[in-house]
Short mmCIF file of all heavy atoms in Angstrom, two decimals:
data_model
loop_
_atom_site.label_atom_id
_atom_site.label_comp_id
_atom_site.label_asym_id
_atom_site.label_seq_id
_atom_site.Cartn_x
_atom_site.Cartn_y
_atom_site.Cartn_z
N MET A 623 249.85 37.18 171.51
CA MET A 623 249.90 36.39 170.27
C MET A 623 251.22 36.47 169.59
O MET A 623 251.86 37.53 169.54
CB MET A 623 248.80 36.87 169.37
CG MET A 623 248.83 36.39 167.94
SD MET A 623 247.63 37.09 166.92
CE MET A 623 248.17 36.23 165.45
N ASN A 624 251.68 35.42 168.95
CA ASN A 624 252.88 35.45 168.19
C ASN A 624 252.46 35.76 166.71
O ASN A 624 251.63 35.10 166.14
CB ASN A 624 253.66 34.18 168.33
CG ASN A 624 254.27 34.02 169.62
OD1 ASN A 624 254.63 34.98 170.25
ND2 ASN A 624 254.39 32.71 170.06
N ILE A 625 253.17 36.67 166.14
CA ILE A 625 253.03 36.90 164.69
C ILE A 625 254.25 36.48 164.03
O ILE A 625 255.41 36.87 164.34
CB ILE A 625 252.84 38.48 164.51
CG1 ILE A 625 251.53 38.79 165.12
CG2 ILE A 625 252.76 38.71 163.02
CD1 ILE A 625 251.16 40.30 165.03
N GLY A 626 254.05 35.57 163.04
CA GLY A 626 255.22 35.00 162.39
C GLY A 626 256.09 34.17 163.44
O GLY A 626 255.48 33.61 164.34
N ASP A 627 257.32 34.01 163.23
CA ASP A 627 258.04 33.07 164.09
C ASP A 627 258.76 33.90 165.20
O ASP A 627 259.08 33.30 166.24
CB ASP A 627 259.17 32.38 163.32
CG ASP A 627 258.57 31.37 162.34
OD1 ASP A 627 257.44 30.83 162.61
OD2 ASP A 627 259.08 31.14 161.26
N ALA A 628 258.94 35.20 165.09
CA ALA A 628 259.83 35.94 166.01
C ALA A 628 259.17 37.03 166.83
O ALA A 628 259.77 37.54 167.62
CB ALA A 628 260.90 36.56 165.19
N TYR A 629 257.96 37.37 166.52
CA TYR A 629 257.45 38.55 167.15
C TYR A 629 256.11 38.17 167.99
O TYR A 629 255.24 37.47 167.67
CB TYR A 629 256.85 39.53 166.11
CG TYR A 629 257.97 40.05 165.19
CD1 TYR A 629 258.11 39.50 163.88
CD2 TYR A 629 258.90 40.96 165.61
CE1 TYR A 629 259.15 39.99 163.05
CE2 TYR A 629 259.87 41.37 164.78
CZ TYR A 629 260.03 40.87 163.51
OH TYR A 629 261.03 41.30 162.71
N SER A 630 256.19 38.72 169.23
CA SER A 630 255.08 38.71 170.15
C SER A 630 254.37 39.98 170.05
O SER A 630 254.99 41.01 170.16
CB SER A 630 255.52 38.36 171.53
OG SER A 630 254.46 38.33 172.43
N ALA A 631 253.02 40.00 169.85
CA ALA A 631 252.41 41.25 169.50
C ALA A 631 251.05 41.35 170.29
O ALA A 631 250.56 40.29 170.81
CB ALA A 631 252.21 41.37 168.05
N ASP A 632 250.58 42.61 170.49
CA ASP A 632 249.39 42.80 171.23
C ASP A 632 248.63 43.94 170.40
O ASP A 632 249.27 44.79 169.89
CB ASP A 632 249.57 43.26 172.65
CG ASP A 632 248.35 43.63 173.36
OD1 ASP A 632 247.49 42.70 173.43
OD2 ASP A 632 248.21 44.61 173.91
N MET A 633 247.23 43.76 170.27
CA MET A 633 246.51 44.81 169.56
C MET A 633 245.31 45.17 170.34
O MET A 633 244.63 44.29 170.89
CB MET A 633 246.23 44.36 168.19
CG MET A 633 245.22 45.33 167.51
SD MET A 633 244.86 44.90 165.72
CE MET A 633 244.29 43.29 165.90
N GLN A 634 244.95 46.41 170.55
CA GLN A 634 243.80 46.87 171.22
C GLN A 634 243.02 47.80 170.25
O GLN A 634 243.62 48.81 169.71
CB GLN A 634 244.06 47.55 172.53
CG GLN A 634 242.81 47.97 173.26
CD GLN A 634 243.24 48.66 174.53
OE1 GLN A 634 244.11 49.41 174.63
NE2 GLN A 634 242.48 48.39 175.59
N ILE A 635 241.71 47.55 170.00
CA ILE A 635 240.96 48.40 169.13
C ILE A 635 239.72 48.85 169.87
O ILE A 635 238.98 48.02 170.54
CB ILE A 635 240.44 47.62 167.93
CG1 ILE A 635 241.65 47.32 166.96
CG2 ILE A 635 239.48 48.49 167.10
CD1 ILE A 635 241.35 46.52 165.69
N LYS A 636 239.49 50.18 169.89
CA LYS A 636 238.26 50.78 170.42
C LYS A 636 237.67 51.68 169.49
O LYS A 636 238.39 52.38 168.70
CB LYS A 636 238.65 51.61 171.64
CG LYS A 636 239.23 50.81 172.84
CD LYS A 636 239.54 51.69 174.09
CE LYS A 636 240.16 50.89 175.14
NZ LYS A 636 240.33 51.80 176.40
N PHE A 637 236.38 51.75 169.39
CA PHE A 637 235.74 52.71 168.53
C PHE A 637 234.35 53.03 169.02
O PHE A 637 233.79 52.29 169.84
CB PHE A 637 235.65 52.20 167.04
CG PHE A 637 234.64 51.12 166.84
CD1 PHE A 637 233.35 51.50 166.49
CD2 PHE A 637 234.91 49.72 166.87
CE1 PHE A 637 232.33 50.46 166.24
CE2 PHE A 637 234.03 48.82 166.69
CZ PHE A 637 232.67 49.16 166.35
N SER A 638 233.85 54.11 168.58
CA SER A 638 232.42 54.58 168.84
C SER A 638 231.98 55.24 167.59
O SER A 638 232.75 55.68 166.70
CB SER A 638 232.32 55.44 170.03
OG SER A 638 233.02 56.72 169.72
N ASP A 639 230.72 55.17 167.41
CA ASP A 639 230.20 55.84 166.20
C ASP A 639 228.81 56.48 166.59
O ASP A 639 228.09 56.07 167.63
CB ASP A 639 229.95 54.79 165.05
CG ASP A 639 228.85 53.78 165.39
OD1 ASP A 639 229.03 53.10 166.54
OD2 ASP A 639 227.87 53.66 164.66
N ARG A 640 228.41 57.36 165.78
CA ARG A 640 227.07 58.02 165.95
C ARG A 640 226.72 58.75 164.68
O ARG A 640 227.49 59.45 164.03
CB ARG A 640 227.19 59.10 167.03
CG ARG A 640 225.85 59.84 167.24
CD ARG A 640 225.91 60.78 168.43
NE ARG A 640 227.05 61.71 168.39
CZ ARG A 640 227.37 62.50 169.41
NH1 ARG A 640 226.63 62.44 170.60
NH2 ARG A 640 228.34 63.32 169.31
N CYS A 641 225.52 58.49 164.21
CA CYS A 641 224.91 59.13 163.05
C CYS A 641 223.74 59.83 163.44
O CYS A 641 222.71 59.29 163.91
CB CYS A 641 224.60 57.98 161.99
SG CYS A 641 225.92 57.00 161.33
N ASN A 642 223.80 61.11 163.38
CA ASN A 642 222.68 62.08 163.66
C ASN A 642 221.91 62.43 162.58
O ASN A 642 222.39 62.96 161.56
CB ASN A 642 223.14 63.27 164.49
CG ASN A 642 223.87 62.96 165.79
OD1 ASN A 642 223.36 62.06 166.55
ND2 ASN A 642 224.87 63.74 166.13
N GLU A 643 220.60 62.09 162.52
CA GLU A 643 219.71 62.48 161.45
C GLU A 643 220.26 62.12 160.05
O GLU A 643 220.10 62.82 159.07
CB GLU A 643 219.40 63.98 161.52
CG GLU A 643 218.80 64.41 162.84
CD GLU A 643 218.64 65.92 162.92
OE1 GLU A 643 218.31 66.49 161.81
OE2 GLU A 643 218.64 66.43 164.03
N THR A 644 220.84 60.92 160.01
CA THR A 644 221.45 60.47 158.69
C THR A 644 220.46 59.63 157.97
O THR A 644 219.75 58.71 158.63
CB THR A 644 222.60 59.50 159.05
OG1 THR A 644 223.59 60.32 159.81
CG2 THR A 644 223.26 59.09 157.78
N PRO A 645 220.20 59.87 156.66
CA PRO A 645 219.17 59.08 155.99
C PRO A 645 219.68 57.60 155.97
O PRO A 645 220.93 57.35 155.79
CB PRO A 645 219.28 59.75 154.54
CG PRO A 645 219.79 61.03 154.72
CD PRO A 645 220.69 61.02 155.98
N ALA A 646 218.78 56.58 156.04
CA ALA A 646 219.05 55.26 156.15
C ALA A 646 220.09 54.75 155.18
O ALA A 646 221.00 54.05 155.52
CB ALA A 646 217.85 54.45 156.05
N PRO A 647 220.09 55.21 153.85
CA PRO A 647 221.13 54.67 152.84
C PRO A 647 222.46 55.09 153.22
O PRO A 647 223.49 54.48 152.81
CB PRO A 647 220.63 55.21 151.57
CG PRO A 647 219.20 55.62 151.76
CD PRO A 647 219.02 55.96 153.10
N TYR A 648 222.75 56.13 154.00
CA TYR A 648 224.03 56.60 154.36
C TYR A 648 224.53 56.19 155.71
O TYR A 648 225.72 56.49 156.08
CB TYR A 648 224.04 58.19 154.28
CG TYR A 648 223.69 58.71 152.93
CD1 TYR A 648 222.40 59.09 152.50
CD2 TYR A 648 224.69 58.70 151.91
CE1 TYR A 648 222.12 59.57 151.23
CE2 TYR A 648 224.44 59.20 150.55
CZ TYR A 648 223.14 59.51 150.34
OH TYR A 648 222.89 60.05 149.09
N ALA A 649 223.71 55.71 156.50
CA ALA A 649 224.02 55.23 157.84
C ALA A 649 225.05 54.06 157.89
O ALA A 649 224.83 53.29 157.10
CB ALA A 649 222.76 54.90 158.63
N ILE A 650 226.06 54.20 158.76
CA ILE A 650 227.00 53.09 158.97
C ILE A 650 226.73 52.60 160.35
O ILE A 650 226.92 53.40 161.39
CB ILE A 650 228.39 53.57 158.69
CG1 ILE A 650 228.53 54.07 157.34
CG2 ILE A 650 229.40 52.42 158.94
CD1 ILE A 650 229.89 54.83 157.05
N SER A 651 226.47 51.33 160.53
CA SER A 651 226.20 50.80 161.89
C SER A 651 227.44 50.36 162.55
O SER A 651 228.52 50.13 161.95
CB SER A 651 225.18 49.62 161.80
OG SER A 651 225.90 48.47 161.20
N SER A 652 227.30 50.23 163.85
CA SER A 652 228.51 49.72 164.77
C SER A 652 228.87 48.31 164.24
O SER A 652 229.97 48.04 164.17
CB SER A 652 228.07 49.71 166.14
OG SER A 652 227.82 50.87 166.77
N GLN A 653 227.84 47.51 163.88
CA GLN A 653 228.07 46.19 163.42
C GLN A 653 228.91 46.11 162.14
O GLN A 653 229.84 45.33 161.96
CB GLN A 653 226.80 45.44 163.20
CG GLN A 653 226.97 43.98 162.87
CD GLN A 653 227.53 43.13 163.90
OE1 GLN A 653 227.02 43.23 165.00
NE2 GLN A 653 228.57 42.50 163.69
N GLU A 654 228.63 47.10 161.22
CA GLU A 654 229.38 47.11 159.92
C GLU A 654 230.75 47.56 160.20
O GLU A 654 231.74 46.99 159.62
CB GLU A 654 228.71 48.16 159.06
CG GLU A 654 227.35 47.65 158.43
CD GLU A 654 226.66 48.76 157.74
OE1 GLU A 654 226.42 49.79 158.18
OE2 GLU A 654 226.41 48.55 156.50
N ILE A 655 231.02 48.53 161.17
CA ILE A 655 232.38 48.92 161.44
C ILE A 655 233.16 47.71 162.15
O ILE A 655 234.33 47.48 161.75
CB ILE A 655 232.40 50.12 162.39
CG1 ILE A 655 231.75 51.34 161.67
CG2 ILE A 655 233.79 50.40 162.96
CD1 ILE A 655 231.38 52.51 162.59
N ALA A 656 232.46 47.03 163.06
CA ALA A 656 233.15 45.87 163.73
C ALA A 656 233.52 44.76 162.72
O ALA A 656 234.61 44.29 162.67
CB ALA A 656 232.20 45.35 164.77
N ASP A 657 232.64 44.56 161.78
CA ASP A 657 232.89 43.54 160.84
C ASP A 657 234.04 43.82 159.91
O ASP A 657 234.84 43.07 159.53
CB ASP A 657 231.60 43.24 159.89
CG ASP A 657 230.50 42.58 160.73
OD1 ASP A 657 230.83 41.90 161.82
OD2 ASP A 657 229.35 42.63 160.26
N LEU A 658 234.04 45.10 159.47
CA LEU A 658 235.20 45.62 158.66
C LEU A 658 236.57 45.57 159.44
O LEU A 658 237.55 45.15 158.90
CB LEU A 658 234.94 47.00 158.11
CG LEU A 658 233.80 47.13 157.07
CD1 LEU A 658 233.41 48.58 156.88
CD2 LEU A 658 234.21 46.47 155.76
N LEU A 659 236.47 45.98 160.68
CA LEU A 659 237.78 45.88 161.50
C LEU A 659 238.24 44.43 161.58
O LEU A 659 239.44 44.05 161.47
CB LEU A 659 237.58 46.50 162.84
CG LEU A 659 237.46 48.05 162.78
CD1 LEU A 659 237.01 48.53 164.31
CD2 LEU A 659 238.73 48.73 162.34
N ASN A 660 237.34 43.60 161.79
CA ASN A 660 237.59 42.14 161.96
C ASN A 660 238.17 41.64 160.62
O ASN A 660 239.13 40.83 160.59
CB ASN A 660 236.32 41.28 162.32
CG ASN A 660 236.41 40.66 163.73
OD1 ASN A 660 237.60 40.39 164.11
ND2 ASN A 660 235.35 40.57 164.36
N ASP A 661 237.53 41.91 159.50
CA ASP A 661 237.97 41.50 158.14
C ASP A 661 239.58 41.90 158.07
O ASP A 661 240.32 41.21 157.56
CB ASP A 661 237.21 42.00 157.09
CG ASP A 661 235.84 41.36 157.00
OD1 ASP A 661 235.64 40.32 157.63
OD2 ASP A 661 234.98 41.92 156.39
N LEU A 662 239.76 43.22 158.39
CA LEU A 662 241.12 43.81 158.12
C LEU A 662 242.16 42.97 159.12
O LEU A 662 243.25 42.61 158.59
CB LEU A 662 241.18 45.36 158.52
CG LEU A 662 242.56 45.92 158.44
CD1 LEU A 662 243.13 45.84 157.11
CD2 LEU A 662 242.42 47.40 158.96
N ALA A 663 241.69 42.80 160.34
CA ALA A 663 242.63 42.15 161.24
C ALA A 663 242.98 40.72 160.77
O ALA A 663 244.05 40.34 160.72
CB ALA A 663 242.02 42.06 162.67
N VAL A 664 242.02 39.99 160.35
CA VAL A 664 242.24 38.63 159.87
C VAL A 664 243.07 38.64 158.59
O VAL A 664 243.98 37.76 158.44
CB VAL A 664 240.83 37.93 159.60
CG1 VAL A 664 241.01 36.58 158.95
CG2 VAL A 664 240.08 37.67 160.92
N ARG A 665 242.84 39.50 157.69
CA ARG A 665 243.64 39.60 156.55
C ARG A 665 245.13 39.83 156.85
O ARG A 665 246.09 39.49 156.14
CB ARG A 665 243.15 40.71 155.49
CG ARG A 665 241.95 40.28 154.74
CD ARG A 665 241.80 41.23 153.60
NE ARG A 665 241.77 42.68 153.92
CZ ARG A 665 240.77 43.43 154.16
NH1 ARG A 665 239.50 42.85 154.21
NH2 ARG A 665 240.92 44.73 154.38
N ARG A 666 245.46 40.54 157.97
CA ARG A 666 246.73 40.88 158.36
C ARG A 666 247.41 39.79 159.36
O ARG A 666 248.47 39.99 159.87
CB ARG A 666 246.79 42.21 159.02
CG ARG A 666 246.33 43.34 158.26
CD ARG A 666 247.42 43.66 157.13
NE ARG A 666 246.92 44.65 156.22
CZ ARG A 666 247.14 45.93 156.25
NH1 ARG A 666 247.90 46.44 157.20
NH2 ARG A 666 246.66 46.79 155.31
N GLY A 667 246.63 38.63 159.53
CA GLY A 667 247.20 37.62 160.29
C GLY A 667 246.83 37.51 161.78
O GLY A 667 247.34 36.69 162.50
N TRP A 668 245.98 38.46 162.17
CA TRP A 668 245.40 38.45 163.50
C TRP A 668 244.26 37.48 163.66
O TRP A 668 243.62 37.37 162.70
CB TRP A 668 245.02 39.83 164.05
CG TRP A 668 246.11 40.76 164.11
CD1 TRP A 668 246.64 41.68 163.17
CD2 TRP A 668 246.87 41.10 165.22
NE1 TRP A 668 247.69 42.40 163.72
CE2 TRP A 668 247.88 42.09 165.02
CE3 TRP A 668 246.89 40.53 166.58
CZ2 TRP A 668 248.76 42.53 165.97
CZ3 TRP A 668 247.81 41.06 167.50
CH2 TRP A 668 248.78 42.02 167.20
N PRO A 669 243.97 37.06 164.97
CA PRO A 669 242.79 36.32 165.13
C PRO A 669 241.55 37.21 165.12
O PRO A 669 241.80 38.53 165.16
CB PRO A 669 242.94 35.69 166.51
CG PRO A 669 243.94 36.63 167.24
CD PRO A 669 244.73 37.17 166.14
N THR A 670 240.38 36.71 165.00
CA THR A 670 239.15 37.70 164.98
C THR A 670 239.22 38.36 166.37
O THR A 670 239.71 37.93 167.43
CB THR A 670 237.79 36.80 164.84
OG1 THR A 670 237.84 35.85 165.85
CG2 THR A 670 237.82 36.22 163.48
N ILE A 671 238.70 39.52 166.31
CA ILE A 671 238.50 40.46 167.46
C ILE A 671 237.19 40.30 168.19
O ILE A 671 236.15 40.10 167.64
CB ILE A 671 238.62 41.93 167.00
CG1 ILE A 671 239.87 42.18 166.15
CG2 ILE A 671 238.51 42.87 168.16
CD1 ILE A 671 239.80 43.43 165.28
N THR A 672 237.32 40.18 169.58
CA THR A 672 236.06 40.24 170.39
C THR A 672 235.64 41.58 170.71
O THR A 672 236.48 42.25 171.35
CB THR A 672 236.30 39.36 171.63
OG1 THR A 672 236.73 37.95 171.28
CG2 THR A 672 235.09 39.30 172.50
N PHE A 673 234.54 42.05 170.28
CA PHE A 673 233.95 43.31 170.70
C PHE A 673 232.85 43.07 171.61
O PHE A 673 232.09 42.13 171.56
CB PHE A 673 233.36 44.05 169.39
CG PHE A 673 234.42 44.43 168.40
CD1 PHE A 673 234.69 43.70 167.30
CD2 PHE A 673 235.10 45.63 168.52
CE1 PHE A 673 235.55 44.06 166.35
CE2 PHE A 673 236.02 46.07 167.63
CZ PHE A 673 236.30 45.25 166.50
N TYR A 674 232.89 43.87 172.70
CA TYR A 674 231.84 43.83 173.66
C TYR A 674 230.81 44.84 173.39
O TYR A 674 231.00 45.90 172.79
CB TYR A 674 232.48 43.99 175.09
CG TYR A 674 233.51 42.93 175.36
CD1 TYR A 674 234.86 43.10 175.16
CD2 TYR A 674 233.11 41.63 175.83
CE1 TYR A 674 235.82 42.07 175.39
CE2 TYR A 674 233.93 40.62 176.13
CZ TYR A 674 235.31 40.84 175.77
OH TYR A 674 236.22 39.86 176.03
N ARG A 675 229.58 44.57 174.08
CA ARG A 675 228.48 45.63 173.92
C ARG A 675 227.94 45.67 172.54
O ARG A 675 227.49 46.59 172.00
CB ARG A 675 228.83 46.97 174.48
CG ARG A 675 229.20 46.99 175.88
CD ARG A 675 229.51 48.37 176.40
NE ARG A 675 229.99 48.23 177.68
CZ ARG A 675 230.56 49.19 178.31
NH1 ARG A 675 230.73 50.39 177.76
NH2 ARG A 675 230.96 49.07 179.62
N THR A 676 228.03 44.50 171.88
CA THR A 676 227.42 44.44 170.56
C THR A 676 226.07 43.67 170.65
O THR A 676 225.79 43.05 171.66
CB THR A 676 228.35 43.57 169.57
OG1 THR A 676 228.59 42.30 170.17
CG2 THR A 676 229.62 44.31 169.31
N PRO A 677 225.19 43.79 169.73
CA PRO A 677 224.02 43.07 169.69
C PRO A 677 224.23 41.58 169.92
O PRO A 677 225.19 41.03 169.48
CB PRO A 677 223.33 43.41 168.40
CG PRO A 677 224.00 44.63 167.88
CD PRO A 677 225.33 44.66 168.44
N LYS A 678 223.25 40.87 170.49
CA LYS A 678 223.47 39.48 170.81
C LYS A 678 223.65 38.63 169.55
O LYS A 678 224.41 37.64 169.56
CB LYS A 678 222.27 38.90 171.58
CG LYS A 678 222.29 39.35 172.99
CD LYS A 678 221.14 38.70 173.81
CE LYS A 678 221.15 39.16 175.21
NZ LYS A 678 220.10 38.58 176.00
N ALA A 679 223.12 39.04 168.40
CA ALA A 679 223.18 38.30 167.15
C ALA A 679 224.49 38.60 166.45
O ALA A 679 224.71 38.09 165.28
CB ALA A 679 222.01 38.62 166.30
N ALA A 680 225.34 39.45 167.00
CA ALA A 680 226.55 39.81 166.27
C ALA A 680 227.46 38.62 166.04
O ALA A 680 227.79 37.82 166.95
CB ALA A 680 227.37 40.88 167.13
N PRO A 681 227.96 38.33 164.78
CA PRO A 681 228.86 37.30 164.44
C PRO A 681 230.32 37.69 164.70
O PRO A 681 231.08 37.79 163.83
CB PRO A 681 228.63 37.04 162.97
CG PRO A 681 228.28 38.35 162.51
CD PRO A 681 227.54 39.09 163.60
N LEU A 682 230.59 38.06 166.01
CA LEU A 682 231.96 38.61 166.28
C LEU A 682 232.59 37.69 167.32
O LEU A 682 232.87 38.10 168.43
CB LEU A 682 231.88 40.03 166.90
CG LEU A 682 231.23 41.04 165.96
CD1 LEU A 682 231.06 42.26 166.78
CD2 LEU A 682 232.00 41.24 164.72
N ASN A 683 232.99 36.54 167.02
CA ASN A 683 233.65 35.61 168.04
C ASN A 683 232.49 34.95 168.80
O ASN A 683 232.33 35.15 169.84
CB ASN A 683 234.64 36.28 168.90
CG ASN A 683 236.00 36.32 168.23
OD1 ASN A 683 236.14 36.28 167.13
ND2 ASN A 683 236.98 36.26 169.19
#
């Protein structure tokens, strides 16, 4: 991907999460993390990120 007029760039994001015995109000899902990372990437000028192994209903590309 070209960023701006002069830069060719590449970005790779990997993450995993686990909440053990976390009360529901405090749990953070993989979907929430993926959505936040996508929001950040788009705000910085990147296209949306494709995450694999997400639930079928995931709005991630």
Side-chain angles (χ1 to χ4, degrees):
M623 168 183 180
N624 289 329
I625 296 179
D627 293 329
Y629 300 102
S630 179
D632 181 54
M633 175 175 53
Q634 182 180 40
I635 293 179
K636 294 180 182 185
F637 75 89
S638 63
D639 68 301
R640 179 172 54 189
C641 294
N642 294 324
E643 301 180 30
T644 304
Y648 298 96
I650 299 172
S651 71
S652 297
Q653 184 65 52
E654 290 173 301
I655 294 168
D657 290 342
L658 289 168
L659 289 170
N660 246 328
D661 289 343
L662 176 60
V664 169
R665 282 195 314 263
R666 299 291 172 94
W668 290 91
T670 55
I671 303 164
T672 300
F673 290 97
Y674 298 96
R675 299 183 186 167
T676 57
K678 288 184 180 181
L682 303 173
N683 272 27

